[in-house]
Amino acid sequence: MKEIKAGLLGFGTIGTGVVKVFQNNCQLLEERLGARLVLHRIADLDISTDRGVSLAPEVLTTDAAEVLDNPEIDVVIELIGGYEPARTFVLRAIENGKHVVTANKALLALHGDEILAAAAAKGVDVMFEAAVGGGIPIISSIKENLCANNFRSVFGILNGTCNYILSRMTKEGADFSAVLKDAQDKGYAEADPTFDIEGVDTAHKIAILIGMCFGTRVKFEDIYTEGISAISALDIQFAKQFGYKIKLLAIGKKDNGQIEARVHPTMVPLNYPLADVDGAFNAVRLVGDFLGPAMLYGQGAGMEATASAVMGDVMAIARNIIAGIGSRTPAMAYRPEAIQQLAIKPMDEIISQYYLRFGTEDRPGVLAQISGILGRHDISIASMIQPERKEGGPVPIVIMTHEAKEANVRAALTEIDALEVALEPSRLIRIENELE
Ligand code: HSE
């Protein structure tokens, strides 16, 4: 029976999951492939820690060259993460004629063009299903099943760590840092957890999805990115009172030839399916001109679900090898020569509804000052809560607006924050009521 050999770079949480798939589902893989899939080498700087899987000693190496330059290896699985040495290793694997499977969204968001161009020149495949949405088959859905659609929008809850934290803060009123520690223990968080909580990981992922959905190049640094570290229990409580949940939402929209590309905490109506995506689950909601709206939902992080996506790619490549074909489907869903450079809509120009929270002195005329400033900036109030002050401290004034222009809201908040009665900086959370 034909053998197809894979080499793994990075024996961390997901790498361990990949080893488990090779071992537990070995027969299934063979039945579905018609060939034997072998994990030939695993390279990691640490090969002594017990990962709970048993391996023949000759499989493990601390030398990446034993994977990258090994003529027997057909497919390199890159699970190191981060920019370097992952970039150098992936380019070397491609140069050596190997197909690559990676879960590295940071690498793709920043160096995707270079890597995919090198792969095209060599005629090898680079696949990255695990880079976005953990186990959810979103990349292959965009490339294959949904490729007859013009997409209008793509929305995602794309970071398991943030969603887990926000869900537990919402359900239990749990403390941010304690919940972050739990997410880290469960293996959801990035090596640097600020990538999760400050929205960087989500921005990496939406950069990939926007590129694939709209056939454009989005520079990661052009994506407006705000994380969840400033979300307080108070905002979560008020959101609930108004009928919303707070989610870290990635938003991609195509509007008059311009692209909206942003990541920020967003209030989503409680009766929308995205509001029910809790814990480490992720979801992607797409609207296509023929498809209409569709939502893909599944585990967005964690050893098993992510390993499932990695292995789906390994199997796809193995099937291509058996069939003697490669690079059948463009990696970014569009042929490289058809990819455009669409303009990103400046953040100041976006139109949204807003949740605004002010902490002010409790005295006559405060509300009139605030509403006067909002009115002068063409911002119309939809509803308002001002709970009675309990003991001392600022009194919260919460305002939900009708649709307004971001630049106007920013200008109004600057004026309000400068008022003598403003005791703390105002808070702004965007609301997404029209999931187009
Ligand atoms: N740190 C990521 C998350 C892992 O929390 O979703 C999956 O990319």
Side-chain angles (χ1 to χ4, degrees):
M1 184 178 264
K2 184 174 171 63
E3 277 195 354
I4 292 170
K5 291 188 176 141
L8 172 61
L9 298 172
F11 196 11
T13 306
I14 314 304
T16 305
V18 165
V19 171
K20 286 183 180 176
V21 180
F22 268 100
Q23 294 185 343
N24 300 2
N25 290 358
C26 164
Q27 197 187 333
L28 175 82
L29 298 179
E30 202 170 300
E31 284 167 3
R32 290 190 167 158
L33 190 60
R36 189 165 299 134
L37 203 52
V38 178
L39 185 53
H40 190 62
R41 285 279 183 286
I42 301 174
D44 195 288
L45 291 176
D46 167 16
I47 54 171
S48 55
T49 299
D50 180 10
R51 275 99 168 169
V53 286
S54 68
L55 288 157
E58 67 274 15
V59 171
L60 290 167
T61 174
T62 53
D63 183 4
E66 286 196 36
V67 171
L68 295 169
D69 304 332
N70 190 325
E72 290 190 62
I73 288 177
D74 307 288
V75 188
V76 170
I77 306 171
E78 185 276 306
L79 299 177
I80 302 167
Y83 306 121
E84 284 295 353
R87 174 181 156 275
T88 305
F89 286 173
V90 163
L91 290 171
R92 186 156 134 202
I94 291 169
E95 185 51 36
N96 288 340
K98 302 184 190 312
H99 303 282
V100 172
V101 173
T102 177
N104 194 334
K105 52 265 163 165
L107 181 66
L108 292 164
L110 267 78
H111 302 294
D113 285 350
E114 181 189 19
I115 288 167
L116 296 179
K122 263 304 193 189
V124 296
D125 277 315
V126 172
M127 296 187 74
F128 45 87
E129 186 62 72
V132 183
I136 303 174
I138 182 64
I139 302 292
S140 56
S141 296
I142 296 172
K143 281 200 304 195
E144 305 270 0
N145 314 64
L146 305 178
C147 68
N149 283 269
N150 274 302
F151 290 105
R152 294 201 185 117
S153 63
V154 53
F155 286 74
I157 293 175
L158 296 174
N159 185 269
T161 304
C162 284
N163 206 45
Y164 179 83
I165 292 173
L166 290 173
S167 301
R168 289 205 40 203
M169 285 175 76
T170 304
K171 272 200 194 109
E172 306 158 27
D175 172 65
F176 182 93
S177 45
V179 188
L180 171 61
K181 172 82 178 55
D182 271 4
Q184 286 171 303
D185 291 347
K186 286 187 155 64
Y188 304 151
E190 297 301 297
D192 176 355
T194 59
F195 267 41
D196 295 298
I197 59 179
E198 297 309 340
V200 177
D201 176 73
T202 303
H204 286 148
K205 292 168 178 169
I206 198 70
I208 296 169
L209 293 187
I210 288 176
M212 296 184 76
C213 284
F214 305 127
T216 184
R217 279 189 189 85
V218 189
K219 280 208 229 106
F220 163 72
E221 60 269 24
D222 290 339
I223 298 179
Y224 175 82
T225 304
E226 217 183 279
I228 64 163
S229 55
I231 296 293
S232 70
L234 202 56
D235 295 319
I236 289 177
Q237 244 176 53
F238 282 126
K240 204 169 167 188
Q241 260 176 277
F242 282 107
Y244 293 93
K245 251 190 206 174
I246 301 177
K247 295 288 179 193
L248 183 68
L249 204 64
I251 296 175
K253 291 185 194 176
K254 193 173 174 187
D255 180 22
N256 280 329
Q258 277 194 321
I259 298 294
E260 279 188 35
R262 46 194 169 103
V263 171
H264 47 70
T266 306
M267 289 198 181
V268 178
L270 282 172
N271 59 352
Y272 279 26
L274 278 172
D276 286 331
V277 177
D278 280 332
F281 279 78
N282 279 192
V284 181
R285 186 184 192 275
L286 296 153
V287 181
D289 53 356
F290 282 83
L291 169 75
M295 189 170 106
L296 281 82
Y297 167 81
Q299 289 190 68
M303 178 193 288
E304 287 85 3
T306 313
S308 155
V310 169
M311 290 306 291
D313 282 349
V314 174
M315 287 287 279
I317 286 173
R319 284 175 170 146
N320 285 349
I321 293 172
I322 290 168
I325 52 169
S327 304
R328 193 182 60 83
T329 313
M332 289 302 286
Y334 281 71
R335 288 176 307 112
E337 56 274 30
I339 294 175
Q340 303 176 355
Q341 190 74 65
L342 299 174
I344 304 279
K345 190 188 264 191
M347 202 54 196
D348 269 356
E349 285 175 25
I350 73 148
I351 305 285
S352 178
Q353 287 179 262
Y354 294 84
Y355 157 98
L356 308 173
R357 176 164 63 80
F358 308 100
T360 67
E361 282 182 24
D362 194 4
R363 65 161 136 111
V366 172
L367 204 51
Q369 289 185 61
I370 291 178
S371 60
I373 293 173
L374 293 177
R376 279 201 299 286
H377 286 278
D378 207 18
I379 301 159
S380 161
I381 296 173
S383 48
M384 205 211 87
I385 304 180
Q386 195 226 287
E388 217 174 315
R389 188 166 53 142
K390 295 265 161 45
E391 70 245 355
V395 62
I397 296 178
V398 179
I399 288 176
M400 306 294 266
T401 75
H402 287 297
E403 280 194 340
K405 199 170 167 190
E406 175 101 2
N408 293 352
V409 175
R410 290 274 175 205
L413 295 192
T414 306
E415 259 186 62
I416 293 170
D417 285 350
L419 292 174
E420 206 185 305
V421 293
L423 298 182
E424 57 186 29
S426 52
R427 286 283 301 133
L428 166 167
I429 300 177
R430 296 169 195 85
I431 304 169
E432 197 63 49
N433 268 319
E434 305 257 339
L435 290 175
E436 271 302 316

